Amino acid sequence: LDKRHFDVVGLKQDWNFEPNDRWFLKWGFDLKSYTASYDYFSSKLNSYWVSPDNEIVWTDSNQVKIKPAGRRMGAYFANRFRLLSPLTAELGLRYDYASYTKDQLFSPRINLVYALGKQTFLRSGWGYFYQSAGIHEIRVEDGEDQFYPAELAEHWVVGLEHVFRNGIVMRLEGYYKTLSHLRPDY
């Protein structure tokens, strides 16, 4: 038996403001309300999973019947400005809240663009990117009946971009990403 359902209602708004050609601001928010229902039963679930404490947990049958509900809110602000003629910086901050996971998260971000010429740019960036579990992501088939805290990815990016005269853009990027606060792996 595996019956699942979820509903979401949301509102999102983004704004941009460019007071001059050296300064650009962007900000916004999103609000969402969620409800879900899980009705799951399996009598022959011969599986195991590795807990956050690295313990192996075996299960032979599983029944989960829950109706989680909650809200998510996100807000961000970014300030892009030209420091020197060839160098532009963008500093940003995002806040995310999820009531059903109890996540309250701040994610800083920094981006730099250096113009090597009129059509060639060197780009770099760093930032935190949190991913809270969705209301529909409880793995009831593996015996879960609760949410885990948000996973975190820290990104480092460096790239070279060239804009050709015909408008085609070519970008070569490399990135390094570290992951932490990972959910159990089944």
Side-chain angles (χ1 to χ4, degrees), residues 89-143:
E90 181 175 285
L91 305 174
L93 183 65
R94 180 173 178 85
Y95 172 76
D96 288 291
Y97 167 75
S99 66
Y100 56 93
T101 62
K102 299 183 179 34
D103 289 330
Q104 296 186 51
L105 310 164
F106 287 95
S107 305
R109 292 143 192 212
I110 299 170
N111 295 297
L112 298 171
V113 178
Y114 187 83
L116 298 171
K118 287 190 174 194
Q119 295 174 277
T120 306
F121 307 93
L122 181 62
R123 297 179 172 276
S124 65
W126 169 87
Y128 277 178
F129 297 85
Y130 283 98
Q131 185 67 48
S132 293
I135 197 92
H136 64 287
E137 294 181 324
I138 297 177
R139 293 167 69 174
V140 294
E141 65 276 11
D142 293 315

Side-chain angles (χ1 to χ4, degrees), residues 7-179:
D7 291 308
V8 60
V9 175
L11 172 67
K12 179 177 180 166
Q13 182 67 53
D14 297 295
W15 291 280
N16 296 320
F17 178 60
E18 189 171 9
N20 56 51
D21 65 346
R22 298 178 63 86
W23 190 23
F24 181 79
L25 300 169
K26 58 184 177 178
W27 66 96
F29 71 89
D30 58 273
L31 304 169
K32 293 178 183 166
S33 178
Y34 296 93
T35 58
S37 65
Y38 295 82
D39 187 359
Y40 183 86
F41 177 77
S42 174
S43 62
K44 295 189 181 212
L45 176 77
N46 293 312
S47 68
Y48 70 94
W49 61 282
V50 180
S51 75
D53 299 325
N54 290 322
E55 296 177 16
I56 295 177
V57 179
W58 288 93
T59 57
D60 291 328
S61 65
N62 183 15
Q63 181 171 3
V64 177
K65 193 169 191 170
I66 54 175
K67 292 186 176 189
R71 297 174 317 282
R72 285 177 78 163
M73 184 204 65
Y76 72 92
F77 177 80
N79 182 9
R80 184 183 312 154
F81 49 95
R82 191 171 301 139
L83 295 169
L84 306 169
S85 182
L87 182 62
T88 301
E90 181 175 285
L91 305 174
L93 183 65
R94 180 173 178 85
Y95 172 76
D96 288 291
Y97 167 75
S99 66
Y100 56 93
T101 62
K102 299 183 179 34
D103 289 330
Q104 296 186 51
L105 310 164
F106 287 95
S107 305
R109 292 143 192 212
I110 299 170
N111 295 297
L112 298 171
V113 178
Y114 187 83
L116 298 171
K118 287 190 174 194
Q119 295 174 277
T120 306
F121 307 93
L122 181 62
R123 297 179 172 276
S124 65
W126 169 87
Y128 277 178
F129 297 85
Y130 283 98
Q131 185 67 48
S132 293
I135 197 92
H136 64 287
E137 294 181 324
I138 297 177
R139 293 167 69 174
V140 294
E141 65 276 11
D142 293 315
E144 288 185 4
D145 62 359
Q146 63 184 5
F147 294 98
Y148 289 96
E151 295 181 332
L152 171 61
E154 180 180 9
H155 291 225
W156 294 87
V157 181
V158 175
L160 184 64
E161 178 181 292
H162 183 76
V163 181
F164 294 94
R165 293 182 199 264
N166 61 4
I168 293 176
V169 177
M170 181 182 72
R171 186 184 289 183
L172 177 64
E173 287 187 337
Y175 72 93
Y176 178 76
K177 175 170 61 171
T178 58
L179 301 171

